């Protein structure tokens, strides 16, 4: 059994407006017999007579008025949906949903958005600032189409490296290493370490560096924001390893970590097993052209 279609509802609305089959058919660009057959079919499918015919035309009865009210709502919603989707899917003026790590909020993200805005000024970007484990969950669910993360995720993900960040061991003012220009991780063996929680990509990097150096430290504080980590070190609560751009914000002293693998690679990622929307694909292409950052 054929169900009522959107175009059937448009025809009913035209008939309700003109209240004459011939005039409504002309407005729709069809014939009077075709519109009459459509009306009879719709009435049969809905199980109710909707229009009363007389010498003056066709007039909606109470059932018809009810159907016309619903038709206006359904057709209006359908048309709004089509317009909204067209806007989202436009590569030049659609919407891109970008997730990123907290630690990139004031450094990498503004640079990328400025580069994209220069070439696609009408592209709309919805930003989501969150921890790495939430970012990848959003990428998997489609809540975010693109994400700025570190390190490169394993699995069905595309990867575009954008920035290599050196790492520094930071100590508070007055620390015995504060006067030095370089130090080894071994120089803070047994000291209190402040870092991000387990499960963060950067935490895995820090753990691997200390393990490779054979150094044991005491993790005394964990916080997911690297700027806060630096502030806690500045307050004299411990030492930390952070990307170079966080050094010195609260008076901390930074000593470059020169061990193998002592860098954080930040990149753009997306699900490689499904097609990006045109807007997201355009954003990715512009970032690729503009990088590295």
């Amino acid at each position: 059994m054929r169900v009522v279609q959107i175009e059937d509802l448009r025809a009913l609305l035209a008939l309700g407006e003109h209240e004459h089959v011939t005039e409504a058919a002309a407005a729709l660009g069809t014939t009077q017999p075709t519109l009459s057959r459509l009306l009879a079919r719709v009435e049969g499918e809905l199980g109710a007579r909707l229009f009363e015919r007389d010498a003056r035309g066709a007039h909606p009865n109470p059932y018809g008025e009810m159907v016309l009210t619903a038709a206006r709502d359904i057709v209006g919603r359908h048309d709004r949906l089509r317009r909204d989707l067209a806007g989202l899917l436009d590569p030049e003026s659609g919407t891109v949903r970008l997730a990123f790590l907290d630690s990139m909020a004031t450094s990498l993200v503004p640079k990328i958005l400025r580069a994209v805005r220069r070439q696609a000024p009408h592209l709309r970007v919805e930003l989501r600032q969150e921890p790495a484990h939430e970012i990848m969950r959003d990428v998997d669910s489609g809540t975010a189409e693109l994400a700025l993360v570190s390190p490169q995720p394993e699995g069905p993900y595309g990867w575009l490296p954008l920035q290599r960040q050196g790492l520094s061991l930071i100590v508070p003012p007055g620390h015995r290493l504060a006067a030095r220009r370089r130090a080894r991780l071994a120089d803070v063996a047994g000291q209190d370490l402040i870092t991000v929680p387990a499960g963060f990509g950067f935490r895995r990097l820090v753990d691997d560096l200390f393990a490779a150096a054979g150094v044991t430290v005491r993790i005394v504080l964990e916080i997911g924001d690297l700027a806060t980590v630096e502030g806690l070190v500045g307050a004299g609560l411990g030492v930390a390893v952070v990307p170079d751009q966080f050094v010195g914000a609260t008076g901390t002293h930074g000593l470059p970590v020169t061990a193998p693998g002592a860098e954080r690679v930040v990149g753009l990622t997306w699900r490689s097993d499904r097609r990006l929307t045109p807007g997201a694909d355009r954003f990715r292409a512009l970032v690729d052209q503009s990088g590295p950052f």
Side-chain angles (χ1 to χ4, degrees), residues 64-85:
E65 294 288 1
M66 180 185 299
V67 171
L68 290 175
T69 298
R72 291 187 192 96
D73 181 55
I74 293 170
V75 171
R77 290 182 182 219
H78 174 268
D79 291 346
R80 285 194 299 274
L81 174 62
R82 294 292 298 271
R83 289 194 300 270
D84 291 346
L85 279 176

Side-chain angles (χ1 to χ4, degrees), residues 17-60:
E17 177 182 354
H18 293 277
E19 295 194 8
H20 197 283
V21 175
T22 302
E23 293 178 8
L28 292 168
T30 188
T31 64
Q32 181 270 331
T34 299
L35 181 56
S36 294
R37 288 193 297 270
L38 181 147
L39 176 58
R41 176 175 52 78
V42 171
E43 288 179 327
E45 290 169 1
L46 295 180
R49 186 177 179 86
L50 305 178
F51 287 80
E52 303 300 331
R53 290 76 157 176
D54 58 28
R56 295 180 292 109
H59 315 285

Side-chain angles (χ1 to χ4, degrees), residues 86-104:
L88 289 172
L89 297 176
D90 185 340
E92 296 301 326
S93 62
T95 299
V96 181
R97 294 165 297 177
L98 175 69
F100 58 92
L101 295 169
D102 295 336
S103 59
M104 302 171 191

Side-chain angles (χ1 to χ4, degrees), residues 177-282:
L177 299 177
R180 294 194 192 178
R181 304 185 66 176
R182 58 180 52 87
R184 301 171 303 154
L185 293 178
D187 291 331
V188 292
Q191 294 196 28
D192 294 343
L193 182 74
I194 303 169
T195 188
V196 297
F200 282 60
F202 189 73
R203 170 61 178 273
R204 187 164 63 250
L205 175 57
V206 171
D207 288 347
D208 289 347
L209 286 172
F210 279 105
V215 176
T216 300
V217 289
R218 296 188 302 270
I219 297 177
V220 294
L221 290 170
E222 296 177 328
I223 183 69
D225 179 52
L226 286 169
T228 303
V229 169
E230 191 276 340
L232 294 173
V233 173
L237 299 174
V239 301
V241 173
V242 298
D244 290 342
Q245 63 264 36
F246 291 94
V247 174
T250 63
T252 55
H253 181 75
L255 304 137
V257 178
T258 57
E263 66 175 5
R264 181 170 77 154
V265 180
V266 176
L268 188 69
T269 192
W270 60 93
R271 288 289 299 221
S272 59
D273 56 352
R274 58 182 179 237
R275 187 188 299 272
L276 285 173
T277 63
D281 198 44
R282 171 79 165 138

Side-chain angles (χ1 to χ4, degrees), residues 101 130-140 198-201:
L101 295 169
E130 51 196 8
H133 61 283
E134 293 183 12
I135 286 177
M136 298 314 299
R137 182 182 63 205
D138 284 349
V139 171
D140 289 340
F200 282 60

